[in-house]
Amino acid sequence: MKFFQRLGRSLMLPVAVLPVAAILSGIGYWILAATGNETNVVGGFFKIAGGALLDQLPLLFAIGVAIGMAKKPDGTSALAGLVSWLVVTNLLSPASVAIFKGVAEEDVNLAFSNVENVFVGILCGLIGAYSYDHFKDSELPDALAFFSGRRSVAIVAAGASLVLSLVLFFLWPLVFTGLVGFGEFILTLGPLGVGIYGFLNRMLIPLGLHHALNSVFWFDVAGINDLGNFLNATGTYGVTGQYMTGFFPVMMMGLPGAALAMYVTAKSSRRKVAAGVLFSSAIASFFVGVTEPLEFSFMFLAPGLYVVHALFTGISMAVSALLPVRMGFGFSGGFIDLVLGWVNPMAQNPWAIPLMGIFWFAVYFVVFRAIILKFDLKTPGRDEGDMLTDETAVLSGERKHLAAATAFLTALGGKDNITDLENCTTRLRMEVADTTLVDDGALKQAGAAGVVRPGGQSVQVIYGTSVQFVKDAMESIMTGRIDPADDAALEAEAEAEAEADGGAGTAVRTTHLVRLRQPMAGAVVPLSEVPDATFAQEIMGPGVAIEPTDGEVVAPAAGTVGHVFPTGHAVALVLEDGVELLIHVGVDTVTMQGEGFTTLVEPGQKVTAGTPLLRADLSAIRVAGHPAITPILVMNDKDAQIELV
């Protein structure tokens, strides 16, 4: 499952090119329509530029997947993906197949005329990534030393592509026939088939597999090519766009209606937090058609509600297919794409889409509100959480981490229940054998700030910047290198430490205002705008965020570097007044494995305001598909207020 989830994220890299194609094509069509001149040079210029990207989309998938699936990729993995694509597509071209079979080119199976598609591009990208991961450090004999290391990657990719070509030579006609058959079957169902596709599209999002389904209907895998035909205006008026139209009312209006329903049903004490998450996500859904932040806010908290959403999407798709309304997009079904596609020659009655959206806004709001209240679903803002505290004496250093690790293992159902254990900046990421054995309340009592269940067997425990030490202690206990902590011994040790200190305490702050120099250039935004619930809901602590315009991060005040993360994407500081600060560059950037980040300080190093801490390549972050927005959190004061000067 992890492979498919990672593949889904990798597919977003080439898909991110589609907005550019949509903008270029949209501007071109606007100009051509406004001038009434199909030969207008400026309009044609933009139209052709947009088409150039769409025509080479399979190649972009080969390169994008090669980058996204490789561990710590560089240009070598992209080159390997390109080499694989060139080998496979040339060996399986109709002209080549005609030679291999000894027949005339016009007698070659139609499947080979469609071999340059997204599916094959993904396979070539996987070959490129695999070749890079397994052969970038290879050493060859002295006589062949020139081809060692990264120079061998493209060679291996070419060899693997020969095998893939041989396999596809026999299997691709069967696969192609099956895909076409599935597409034709859906086509025979008419609007019902469109509705089934819409339902499956939403249901596959938690697995990240909806992109594979989309490729059958949006691209030229099975001969439908709904998206490409719409943007290029090469389809059939009144037909082209039917596999996209129904998304617009749901994404622009339906899901924001659901967000409003979740907001009004949230507990009064939690509405402010819920509003930050829900309304920012609703805005993204309306304008851009980016629905994942809003869908993931209730997908796992209320899975039954998500099924209702999938059903509504299917109904919207089916109804849109029944009506004389057609619209397409280059990226997603948001307001921007609606405006850009308004004058596309394939657009049919686009004015009806906002009216349909108003209907779906009301349906989502009424139905979601009723279901949430009826079944007491724990949507955002409806679960206060068991914020229990441990009143025993506090330990420090390794013994503290050992105590937390011991308690976590017990709350997670024991070491035998954990099948995979990793950590990122502030959380443990685990796969467990039995999720019913996981005790969320015990985890919070043991020091967890929150527990997230993404789905399947995955469990995430949000802890803090010292999570790496807790994870190391858990691994040591699980492998038998050290013994679990003994509660009585730990309590006695804590009391001894307190007596040794003579009752002396450290200086504490008397105000919750934390005034800092701005650590990065860019616009300061509320923490609620960060597209990650852990930050937006202040689970790790209060703070602010920055939409950076420059990748250099400097110390916002004098203090000591508490921790520098191995992947270089975050740094923790302990300021002179005792404030524990975390600066986290980007969202989910831990998955970049250090690519694009340069660390400039070491743990324990004294810094002053303005001391460079790290440098981040913002373009690399965005190319990898991650938001560059940077949270700045106070970790040890839940009432803190950060003021950047």
Side-chain angles (χ1 to χ4, degrees), residues 53-68:
L53 295 174
L54 292 169
D55 293 341
Q56 299 300 323
L57 195 58
L59 173 59
L60 297 178
F61 270 85
I63 296 174
V65 171
I67 296 173

mmCIF file of all heavy atoms in Angstrom, residues 53-68:
data_model
loop_
_atom_site.group_PDB
_atom_site.id
_atom_site.type_symbol
_atom_site.label_atom_id
_atom_site.label_comp_id
_atom_site.label_asym_id
_atom_site.label_seq_id
_atom_site.Cartn_x
_atom_site.Cartn_y
_atom_site.Cartn_z
ATOM 1 N N LEU A 53 2.517 21.068 -24.385
ATOM 2 C CA LEU A 53 2.644 20.361 -23.116
ATOM 3 C C LEU A 53 1.710 19.164 -23.059
ATOM 4 O O LEU A 53 2.080 18.085 -22.589
ATOM 5 C CB LEU A 53 2.340 21.318 -21.958
ATOM 6 C CG LEU A 53 3.322 22.478 -21.775
ATOM 7 C CD1 LEU A 53 2.831 23.421 -20.704
ATOM 8 C CD2 LEU A 53 4.710 21.961 -21.428
ATOM 9 N N LEU A 54 0.504 19.337 -23.529
ATOM 10 C CA LEU A 54 -0.466 18.246 -23.492
ATOM 11 C C LEU A 54 -0.045 17.091 -24.388
ATOM 12 O O LEU A 54 -0.228 15.921 -24.045
ATOM 13 C CB LEU A 54 -1.844 18.761 -23.915
ATOM 14 C CG LEU A 54 -2.496 19.746 -22.938
ATOM 15 C CD1 LEU A 54 -3.710 20.389 -23.571
ATOM 16 C CD2 LEU A 54 -2.871 19.042 -21.651
ATOM 17 N N ASP A 55 0.518 17.415 -25.535
ATOM 18 C CA ASP A 55 0.926 16.366 -26.475
ATOM 19 C C ASP A 55 2.061 15.516 -25.919
ATOM 20 O O ASP A 55 2.227 14.358 -26.307
ATOM 21 C CB ASP A 55 1.347 16.987 -27.809
ATOM 22 C CG ASP A 55 0.170 17.622 -28.546
ATOM 23 O OD1 ASP A 55 -0.976 17.273 -28.215
ATOM 24 O OD2 ASP A 55 0.404 18.477 -29.420
ATOM 25 N N GLN A 56 2.863 16.090 -25.032
ATOM 26 C CA GLN A 56 4.009 15.369 -24.476
ATOM 27 C C GLN A 56 3.766 14.930 -23.037
ATOM 28 O O GLN A 56 4.705 14.614 -22.312
ATOM 29 C CB GLN A 56 5.268 16.261 -24.533
ATOM 30 C CG GLN A 56 5.680 16.666 -25.926
ATOM 31 C CD GLN A 56 5.993 15.474 -26.808
ATOM 32 O OE1 GLN A 56 6.547 14.474 -26.352
ATOM 33 N NE2 GLN A 56 5.642 15.564 -28.088
ATOM 34 N N LEU A 57 2.506 14.884 -22.630
ATOM 35 C CA LEU A 57 2.197 14.538 -21.249
ATOM 36 C C LEU A 57 2.722 13.156 -20.839
ATOM 37 O O LEU A 57 3.254 12.994 -19.734
ATOM 38 C CB LEU A 57 0.688 14.625 -21.014
ATOM 39 C CG LEU A 57 0.236 14.639 -19.557
ATOM 40 C CD1 LEU A 57 0.854 15.806 -18.805
ATOM 41 C CD2 LEU A 57 -1.288 14.712 -19.475
ATOM 42 N N PRO A 58 2.605 12.111 -21.681
ATOM 43 C CA PRO A 58 3.176 10.813 -21.288
ATOM 44 C C PRO A 58 4.673 10.879 -20.999
ATOM 45 O O PRO A 58 5.159 10.241 -20.067
ATOM 46 C CB PRO A 58 2.881 9.922 -22.495
ATOM 47 C CG PRO A 58 1.683 10.543 -23.139
ATOM 48 C CD PRO A 58 1.875 12.018 -22.969
ATOM 49 N N LEU A 59 5.400 11.654 -21.796
ATOM 50 C CA LEU A 59 6.829 11.817 -21.548
ATOM 51 C C LEU A 59 7.066 12.512 -20.214
ATOM 52 O O LEU A 59 7.978 12.149 -19.457
ATOM 53 C CB LEU A 59 7.462 12.620 -22.689
ATOM 54 C CG LEU A 59 8.931 13.028 -22.511
ATOM 55 C CD1 LEU A 59 9.816 11.815 -22.328
ATOM 56 C CD2 LEU A 59 9.391 13.859 -23.700
ATOM 57 N N LEU A 60 6.238 13.500 -19.899
ATOM 58 C CA LEU A 60 6.364 14.185 -18.618
ATOM 59 C C LEU A 60 6.106 13.230 -17.460
ATOM 60 O O LEU A 60 6.727 13.335 -16.400
ATOM 61 C CB LEU A 60 5.386 15.369 -18.556
ATOM 62 C CG LEU A 60 5.625 16.490 -19.577
ATOM 63 C CD1 LEU A 60 4.561 17.567 -19.431
ATOM 64 C CD2 LEU A 60 7.010 17.095 -19.406
ATOM 65 N N PHE A 61 5.176 12.285 -17.650
ATOM 66 C CA PHE A 61 4.922 11.283 -16.617
ATOM 67 C C PHE A 61 6.144 10.381 -16.430
ATOM 68 O O PHE A 61 6.491 10.018 -15.301
ATOM 69 C CB PHE A 61 3.698 10.441 -16.978
ATOM 70 C CG PHE A 61 2.410 10.998 -16.453
ATOM 71 C CD1 PHE A 61 1.724 11.964 -17.163
ATOM 72 C CD2 PHE A 61 1.897 10.572 -15.246
ATOM 73 C CE1 PHE A 61 0.535 12.491 -16.690
ATOM 74 C CE2 PHE A 61 0.716 11.089 -14.755
ATOM 75 C CZ PHE A 61 0.032 12.062 -15.477
ATOM 76 N N ALA A 62 6.790 9.993 -17.518
ATOM 77 C CA ALA A 62 7.983 9.142 -17.414
ATOM 78 C C ALA A 62 9.064 9.840 -16.598
ATOM 79 O O ALA A 62 9.697 9.240 -15.725
ATOM 80 C CB ALA A 62 8.495 8.790 -18.808
ATOM 81 N N ILE A 63 9.278 11.125 -16.865
ATOM 82 C CA ILE A 63 10.321 11.871 -16.155
ATOM 83 C C ILE A 63 9.878 12.189 -14.724
ATOM 84 O O ILE A 63 10.651 12.038 -13.769
ATOM 85 C CB ILE A 63 10.647 13.171 -16.919
ATOM 86 C CG1 ILE A 63 11.246 12.836 -18.291
ATOM 87 C CG2 ILE A 63 11.604 14.042 -16.120
ATOM 88 C CD1 ILE A 63 11.462 14.035 -19.178
ATOM 89 N N GLY A 64 8.624 12.611 -14.574
ATOM 90 C CA GLY A 64 8.129 12.988 -13.248
ATOM 91 C C GLY A 64 8.098 11.831 -12.274
ATOM 92 O O GLY A 64 8.487 11.962 -11.117
ATOM 93 N N VAL A 65 7.645 10.660 -12.730
ATOM 94 C CA VAL A 65 7.606 9.484 -11.856
ATOM 95 C C VAL A 65 9.019 9.030 -11.507
ATOM 96 O O VAL A 65 9.289 8.588 -10.383
ATOM 97 C CB VAL A 65 6.806 8.346 -12.517
ATOM 98 C CG1 VAL A 65 6.936 7.047 -11.726
ATOM 99 C CG2 VAL A 65 5.343 8.733 -12.625
ATOM 100 N N ALA A 66 9.943 9.126 -12.462
ATOM 101 C CA ALA A 66 11.335 8.750 -12.196
ATOM 102 C C ALA A 66 11.923 9.613 -11.088
ATOM 103 O O ALA A 66 12.700 9.139 -10.256
ATOM 104 C CB ALA A 66 12.165 8.880 -13.470
ATOM 105 N N ILE A 67 11.542 10.880 -11.050
ATOM 106 C CA ILE A 67 12.019 11.774 -9.992
ATOM 107 C C ILE A 67 11.279 11.496 -8.682
ATOM 108 O O ILE A 67 11.879 11.357 -7.617
ATOM 109 C CB ILE A 67 11.813 13.247 -10.399
ATOM 110 C CG1 ILE A 67 12.675 13.582 -11.622
ATOM 111 C CG2 ILE A 67 12.151 14.177 -9.242
ATOM 112 C CD1 ILE A 67 12.413 14.955 -12.188
ATOM 113 N N GLY A 68 9.961 11.396 -8.755
ATOM 114 C CA GLY A 68 9.151 11.271 -7.550
ATOM 115 C C GLY A 68 9.321 9.963 -6.811
ATOM 116 O O GLY A 68 9.228 9.916 -5.584
#
